[in-house]
Amino acid sequence: MMDGVGHCDLTRLTAAEALRLMADGRLTAHALVSASLERIHRRDGDVRAWLALSETALEQAERCDALPVGQRGRLHGLPIAIKDVFDTVDLPTTHNSPLYQGFRPAADAAVVGLLLSEGAIILGKTDTTEFAAAGRDAATGNPHDLSRTPGGSSAGSAAAVADFHVPLALATQTGGSTIRPASFCGIVGFKPSFGRVSREGAKIYAQSFDTVGWYGRSVEDVGLLAAVLGLDEPRDDRPLPAQLRVGVTSGPYADRLAPESRLALELSKARLENAGHKVEVLELPLEFSELDRHHRVILHREGQAAFRNLARRHGSLLHDDFHHRVENRDGSTLSDLARAYDAMALGRISFDHLMQDFDVVIAPSAPGFAPVGRRPGDPVFNASWTLLGVPCLNLPTPLDAPSLPIGVTLIAARFDDRSLLESARILEAVLNPQESSRYRNA
């Protein structure tokens, strides 16, 4: 079948646009996957987003094209990148660790299996900070400036979407590993409520925090995956008002914000007010200033348990960062851990109460622009929200003049993922105005 989209660059299509074109018979999965692979072969020598590519992706695309329309899944024919901490049968799962080079799991991670069941094509595995935790940095560069980091730990997934290799990619977040790279790379990133998406088949770092996330180039795109992964259930029957109630906060660490992140927050507030939404500057409860510290205590103590076996078995072959956790070099006590768990529980209750007055809260996604180098970046503006277990979505926020990407985080109450996505669809045109169509003639 011939493509019906003229000479447009297929890699610039959003996932939703590609699905509509394939449903109309104007695009084939084979053509879309071919375009993605060509883009990767042309660009990835510089970007270095990928650790492995599927050798059967085009065959999978041909099988998709042969399916009658009525038998096609919700992700039919879409090439998707998988962060290399998720188990995949057909591709190695290395965790970017020298201990796992060439490792082939016996089963796909639960989330990978769900994507495959809906017709997605797993194009390959993307680079990550070692075990999505510490140790070895990803080699990936930021497509907007290759000297800079795309952010970690989901470096390769974020860069693959930002550089138009794929329209969708899986990520994870334990501190800020989905939201911060989305800000650095200028894409939409979504971290759902804690516990709503299965982590089966993904390396565990911190049991209390590890969350499956994902990237797209629009809110509609990340909503596609949310529906497939079971996040289309409403928390309650309360409809969103035409004018959203928005709280804007710089959080308790405002002194660590660079000018560009301050400006992104100020512009977001002004744009929302100009669009008629009800905006209020929000002061978070005083005890929230301690949440980042509590997050670190829990993170490293749960990491101690997660990596103890590898430290014992492999000794110095395991990066010293992991021995740092196993040996508790931070010096935290079990009393510290108990207090941190209590603060996490109380903080979740407190934020649930606070959100009764708002439809969405907006906060910084990162301290500033992506820094030079390959380090993951500072998670201080993400870790507290991760600890609270709330859904978060990064929206790119263009500044008044051309610049590197920067974003803001939209936050909703726990388990209000569907409402957050609906709010983000409303606010996307306000905070990140774009052309109605993403694909352009070459």
Side-chain angles (χ1 to χ4, degrees), residues 65-88:
D65 289 329
L67 281 174
V69 173
Q71 296 179 23
R72 294 178 177 182
R74 288 177 284 179
L75 303 175
H76 167 81
L78 289 178
I80 295 181
I82 306 296
K83 181 177 178 177
D84 197 22
V85 295
F86 293 98
D87 285 349
T88 47

Side-chain angles (χ1 to χ4, degrees), residues 170-437:
L170 283 189
T172 63
Q173 180 153 313
T174 305
S177 295
T178 295
I179 297 299
R180 188 178 62 257
S183 180
F184 288 169
C185 290
I187 56 177
V188 179
F190 184 64
K191 182 205 79 72
S193 296
F194 176 75
R196 292 287 291 125
V197 177
S198 174
R199 299 175 300 179
E200 180 186 353
K203 171 60 182 166
I204 294 298
Y205 177 16
Q207 291 278 4
S208 295
F209 304 141
D210 290 356
T211 306
V212 177
W214 51 93
Y215 297 120
R217 289 194 288 272
S218 70
V219 175
E220 184 180 17
D221 279 7
V222 298
L224 288 170
L225 282 191
V228 165
L229 298 176
L231 300 178
D232 49 357
E233 178 184 354
R235 173 173 163 156
D236 53 45
D237 296 328
R238 181 186 61 175
L240 282 175
Q243 293 179 317
L244 297 181
R245 301 169 302 162
V246 183
V248 177
T249 181
S250 57
Y253 316 109
D255 59 327
R256 297 168 69 170
L257 283 173
E260 56 267 21
S261 277
R262 292 181 184 274
L263 179 57
L265 212 57
E266 292 166 4
L267 287 173
S268 296
K269 180 176 180 292
R271 289 167 182 166
L272 290 167
E273 290 172 336
N274 290 338
H277 297 288
K278 300 174 182 178
V279 182
E280 178 182 331
V281 175
L282 174 63
E283 293 294 333
L284 295 174
L286 182 62
E287 59 268 24
F288 276 39
S289 63
E290 296 296 312
L291 292 184
D292 184 69
R293 180 172 62 84
H294 293 313
H295 175 274
R296 183 178 177 87
V297 170
I298 297 170
L299 178 75
H300 282 198
R301 280 295 193 159
E302 293 188 349
Q304 179 185 49
F307 293 106
R308 182 178 279 116
N309 66 318
L310 295 181
R312 295 289 184 267
R313 288 183 59 202
H314 299 287
S316 62
L317 295 178
L318 181 69
H319 195 285
D320 189 61
D321 282 355
F322 303 102
H323 290 280
H324 176 284
R325 285 140 181 77
V326 171
E327 296 166 15
N328 186 29
R329 294 181 196 167
D330 285 343
S332 68
T333 67
L334 292 180
S335 294
D336 293 331
L337 182 61
R339 282 191 291 271
Y341 280 130
D342 289 347
M344 177 171 69
L346 292 171
R348 291 177 175 183
I349 295 169
S350 176
F351 192 71
D352 283 349
H353 179 74
L354 182 152
M355 284 304 298
Q356 292 175 8
D357 296 326
F358 299 99
D359 298 303
V360 67
V361 165
I362 291 181
S365 287
F369 294 141
V372 172
R374 293 294 181 265
R375 297 298 295 154
D378 188 349
V380 68
F381 292 100
N382 320 112
S384 296
W385 307 117
T386 304
L387 177 141
L388 294 176
V390 294
C392 300
L393 185 146
N394 176 79
L395 266 184
T397 309
L399 304 183
D400 285 332
S403 72
L404 289 167
I406 197 76
V408 294
T409 301
L410 279 59
I411 304 152
R414 276 186 301 168
F415 310 127
D416 220 355
D417 301 69
R418 176 171 165 174
S419 178
L420 177 60
L421 289 164
E422 290 172 352
S423 297
R425 287 286 295 271
I426 293 169
L427 299 182
E428 184 173 29
V430 177
L431 300 179
N432 184 26
Q434 301 178 45
E435 298 176 15
S436 59
S437 177

Side-chain angles (χ1 to χ4, degrees), residues 21-75:
L21 289 169
M22 285 189 283
D24 291 343
R26 293 190 289 152
L27 175 67
T28 62
H30 189 277
L32 184 61
V33 171
S34 295
S36 290
L37 290 172
E38 192 280 329
R39 174 77 178 176
I40 291 166
H41 291 314
R42 181 156 45 92
R43 288 283 298 164
D44 203 51
D46 295 324
V47 177
R48 301 181 69 183
W50 299 85
L51 293 178
L53 287 171
S54 170
E55 296 180 355
T56 64
L58 289 173
E59 296 173 18
Q60 295 176 56
E62 289 173 356
R63 289 196 292 271
C64 284
D65 289 329
L67 281 174
V69 173
Q71 296 179 23
R72 294 178 177 182
R74 288 177 284 179
L75 303 175

